[in-house]
Amino acid sequence: MIVEEFTQAIVKAVQTFGIDTPEVTLEHPADFAHGDYSTNVALRYAKELKMKPRELAEKILERLNLSADLRLSLEKTEIAGAGFINFHLTSQFFQEQVAEIHKIGNSFGKNSTRNGQRIFFEHTQPNPFKEFHIGHLMNNAIGESVSRILAWSGAEVTRATYHGDVGLHVAKAVWGMRQKEPHDTRYTIHDIGEAYKAGSEAYETDGAVKEEIIAINRKIYERSDPKINALYEAGKKISLALFEALYERLGITFYFHFFESEAGDIGIRIVEENIGKIFEQSNQAVVYRGEKHGLHTRVFLTAEGLPTYEAKEVGLARQKKEAAQFDSAITVTANEQNDFFRVVEKAIGEVFPKYTGKMRHLSHGMLRLPSGKMSSRTGTVISAESLIAQVKELVQQKIKQRDMTSEEKEKLAEIVAIGAIKYSILRQAIGGDIIFDFEKSVSFEGDSGPYLQYSYVRAKSVLEKATSREVQPQVGKEVEPRREVTILERLLYRFPEVVARAGEELEPHYVMTYLTELAGAFNSWYANNQIIGSGALEPYRLALTQAFATVMRNGLFLLGISVP
């Protein structure tokens, strides 16, 4: 990328002043009139070199040794303000970038910053016997987008999800299922959700039921009761089938599915083997003392000898390593689990020293509706299916006058609704809570997923019309004397830089922000320039339209958003 070449040249120039390892950053000025790149390196080192910033900037330019290709790409340099160095690129450079986008096509934007890295990536983690709710939807959107960006940065990414198929929540649901008359296995996911709600309420208010649920929990672990086993298997099967259907709708494929029932058994053995070395007995339970690392104590095995979530994570770590070789493992969860993972990762590092420094917890905020916080225990869960259905209904209202078949409208509404939800999740930095705005999410203007999808379709429509004229997109010699470079051209070539930054920081919102700005530039250019029938300008303007469509499609793919 040209930004890397400029950066290296500036670093070498600054080193001639005796700065061994200068920190040089190039940024895109907010105002295009200030150039395509700008650096504050002169302001950064002026005091150290006992020079005025503008004086140092001038000397840096004098010592800037650019390659022949860089000199050809550079229209001019200027010193602005207190000592910023601005670089303006040539119109020929931008035309060459449009040609490059045509040449690379579906791979434009890929980079090699993570070449050779093997990353095990876990996300979504819906629990059987509970509904796939909007929290899982948020985790899924973030996890899938980050994993795609990492893959485009050269990493070999292994995707996995992890299901909590044992534990008190399962026992509560099975207890509730047993109350159903007649006692059979004909349940829907809604029935299971209601059963869990009933079990949770009874567990909190009735001591006898609490003891019964604890007994059911042990029987599920032991597989010792045929009737309970049948209820358990029925509920798990229904839940996993629903999850798979949702994965397909969301465009997600997992290489591995891990289960707490399996990880728990492995975790028990590992924890027991390390009692007295890493773990210790405490009131009949087994704990890990995190205080020695500035953390806190957590229970890994209960007094009943059952594994907690902590012990299951130890077993899961072993399962991941056996499933695929990796250099690092990333787990995406809500930020309310931050403290849990700090302790667990430290314990796993002691059990498996080779894992130390290889595990990362990527935490995100909560997705909320205006009505407030969810709770599966109290029955106020908003399922992913219901959210998609509500947004889909709003989209259908917006497209009901379109000249399309009902089947086409259904397909379009599905794509746009899911895109709208993913946009709302990925438009801001990971970590903060999001209040989902229904009306804003389905707007076809500005800051929304449908706006990006619509912009792409508009570009493809232009290109489709051009095929009937037998005019091909083409980048050739300058066709507009003294032509001013468009904002669209000034943005298109930046896409690989944006992807690289998103991959480095694990932040999809950089891609989302860029695409929104790019769509605005295209729509403005489209409104002010004739494309079809523009004479000698038509081939290049079609090429520019095609380049936009390519970048938009590639960017939306990285965000997990489909295009109509």
Side-chain angles (χ1 to χ4, degrees):
M1 289 183 284
I2 192 171
V3 63
E4 296 170 346
E5 297 178 57
F6 269 125
T7 301
Q8 291 171 5
I10 297 168
V11 165
K12 290 179 180 179
V14 176
Q15 285 176 333
T16 64
F17 294 93
I19 307 295
D20 292 333
T21 55
E23 294 183 17
V24 175
T25 56
L26 278 174
E27 296 182 346
H28 297 290
D31 187 342
F32 288 100
H34 295 160
D36 299 293
Y37 289 108
S38 180
T39 179
N40 67 346
V41 67
L43 285 81
R44 192 168 198 164
Y45 292 105
K47 185 176 182 180
E48 181 177 343
L49 295 173
K50 298 179 180 179
M51 300 172 67
K52 294 180 179 179
R54 289 186 66 90
E55 177 188 2
L56 178 56
E58 290 172 356
K59 291 186 178 296
I60 289 173
L61 286 180
E62 290 173 2
R63 302 185 187 189
L64 197 61
N65 185 18
L66 301 178
S67 66
D69 286 342
L70 275 183
R71 286 197 300 272
L72 287 174
S73 300
L74 191 59
E75 181 179 280
K76 68 175 180 178
T77 60
E78 62 183 11
I79 300 170
F84 291 93
I85 303 175
N86 296 338
F87 300 90
H88 297 253
L89 300 174
T90 65
S91 61
Q92 183 62 33
F93 167 81
F94 292 110
Q95 287 195 56
E96 290 171 356
Q97 292 304 299
V98 172
E100 184 74 2
I101 296 170
H102 278 259
K103 178 182 177 181
I104 298 177
N106 292 345
S107 294
F108 182 72
K110 291 185 177 180
N111 64 79
S112 59
T113 56
R114 291 184 180 268
N115 271 8
Q117 293 185 23
R118 297 169 300 179
I119 301 174
F120 204 103
F121 205 101
E122 176 202 329
H123 66 81
T124 304
Q125 308 113 341
N127 290 332
F129 299 90
K130 287 186 176 183
E131 290 192 275
F132 190 117
H133 56 66
I134 60 174
H136 297 122
L137 195 59
M138 183 173 188
N139 186 300
N140 182 277
I142 292 170
E144 182 60 19
S145 180
V146 173
S147 65
R148 291 186 182 196
I149 291 169
L150 288 172
W152 267 48
S153 299
E156 178 185 325
V157 180
T158 300
R159 295 172 178 82
T161 191
Y162 179 47
H163 303 289
D165 63 331
V166 289
L168 270 179
H169 77 280
V170 177
K172 291 173 183 177
V174 169
W175 181 89
M177 292 166 71
R178 290 179 69 182
Q179 313 312 304
K180 187 175 184 291
E181 294 290 347
H183 294 304
D184 60 22
T185 56
R186 290 172 293 183
Y187 299 93
T188 66
I189 192 65
H190 177 73
D191 293 331
I192 295 171
E194 289 297 309
Y196 173 72
K197 178 185 175 184
S200 295
E201 291 175 349
Y203 183 88
E204 297 293 337
T205 59
D206 189 321
V209 171
K210 181 176 181 178
E211 291 302 316
E212 187 179 349
I213 289 173
I214 290 173
I216 290 173
N217 190 36
R218 177 168 285 282
K219 289 177 181 179
I220 290 172
Y221 273 103
E222 296 172 346
R223 308 285 295 168
S224 59
D225 187 318
K227 290 184 178 179
I228 288 177
N229 289 347
L231 291 172
Y232 171 79
E233 293 297 339
K236 183 174 177 179
K237 182 178 180 181
I238 291 167
S239 297
L240 295 180
L242 171 69
F243 298 162
E244 287 299 329
L246 277 168
Y247 298 151
E248 185 175 353
R249 293 177 71 183
L250 297 170
I252 310 300
T253 300
F254 290 109
Y255 304 155
F256 295 101
H257 292 257
F258 296 111
F259 295 91
E260 284 188 18
S261 56
E262 300 166 354
D265 290 340
I266 299 170
I268 290 173
R269 293 197 300 270
I270 295 173
V271 171
E272 288 179 341
E273 290 169 0
N274 287 278
I275 293 175
K277 293 179 286 186
I278 297 170
F279 305 99
E280 63 180 72
Q281 298 277 0
S282 176
N283 297 324
Q284 296 185 306
V286 178
V287 303
Y288 175 80
R289 300 290 184 189
E291 284 80 2
K292 57 187 176 182
H293 300 293
L295 301 170
H296 60 278
T297 295
R298 295 192 77 95
V299 176
F300 276 65
L301 297 180
T302 68
E304 293 78 24
L306 296 178
T308 61
Y309 290 121
E310 289 82 349
K312 293 168 187 173
E313 283 292 329
V314 174
L316 179 62
R318 167 69 63 80
Q319 285 184 293
K320 288 179 179 179
K321 198 65 175 177
E322 292 176 349
Q325 294 297 313
F326 59 82
D327 303 305
S328 62
I330 298 173
T331 301
V332 184
T333 70
N335 52 27
E336 59 190 13
Q337 295 191 39
N338 287 351
D339 289 341
F340 167 88
F341 273 97
R342 288 190 187 102
V343 176
V344 168
E345 288 174 2
K346 184 62 69 174
I348 291 174
E350 289 191 41
V351 174
F352 308 112
K354 290 183 179 179
Y355 291 4
T356 301
K358 292 186 176 182
M359 295 173 291
R360 175 168 179 177
H361 175 221
L362 183 61
S363 62
H364 59 80
M366 305 296 289
L367 177 62
R368 307 181 191 278
L369 300 188
S371 55
K373 189 175 182 179
M374 298 183 304
S375 170
S376 54
R377 181 177 60 80
T378 60
T380 57
V381 164
I382 300 98
S383 72
E385 285 185 300
S386 66
L387 179 62
I388 294 172
Q390 290 179 67
V391 178
K392 194 171 175 179
E393 185 177 347
L394 290 174
V395 175
Q396 287 170 329
Q397 289 297 316
K398 287 181 173 290
I399 65 173
K400 63 182 180 181
Q401 301 301 325
R402 300 285 179 92
D403 183 19
M404 306 167 69
T405 67
S406 57
E407 184 178 349
E408 288 172 334
K409 287 181 180 178
E410 170 69 19
K411 183 178 180 180
L412 178 62
E414 173 87 356
I415 292 173
V416 173
I418 292 175
I421 294 169
K422 289 187 177 183
Y423 183 99
S424 298
I425 293 170
L426 298 173
R427 63 185 295 270
Q428 69 179 43
I430 297 171
D433 290 353
I434 295 171
I435 304 296
F436 188 80
D437 187 321
F438 281 93
E439 288 299 328
K440 188 176 181 179
S441 74
V442 297
S443 171
F444 281 80
E445 297 180 1
D447 191 9
S448 73
Y451 176 68
L452 301 188
Q453 292 169 318
Y454 174 74
S455 300
Y456 171 80
V457 170
R458 168 179 273 180
K460 294 296 286 185
S461 177
V462 171
L463 295 167
E464 185 178 338
K465 290 177 183 177
T467 58
S468 63
R469 295 169 50 80
E470 298 184 355
V471 179
Q472 296 295 319
Q474 186 176 354
V475 180
K477 293 182 178 180
E478 182 67 64
V479 293
E480 295 181 72
R482 303 172 65 87
R483 180 178 71 89
E484 183 177 347
V485 177
T486 65
I487 293 176
L488 178 60
E489 291 166 293
R490 292 187 184 279
L491 289 174
L492 281 170
Y493 85 100
R494 298 182 185 181
F495 182 56
E497 294 177 30
V498 175
V499 176
R501 184 181 184 187
E504 178 65 26
E505 300 183 27
L506 306 187
E507 284 286 4
H509 80 278
Y510 291 127
V511 177
M512 189 70 83
T513 300
Y514 165 81
L515 293 183
T516 303
E517 185 178 4
L518 182 68
F522 171 76
N523 287 313
S524 177
W525 175 76
Y526 173 89
N528 291 287
N529 291 276
Q530 182 179 354
I531 302 173
I532 302 294
S534 55
L537 306 180
E538 186 173 355
Y540 181 69
R541 289 183 175 178
L542 286 173
L544 196 49
T545 304
Q546 178 64 68
F548 165 77
T550 297
V551 172
M552 182 59 66
R553 181 190 61 232
N554 292 357
L556 289 173
F557 168 80
L558 293 179
L559 299 169
I561 296 176
S562 299
V563 291

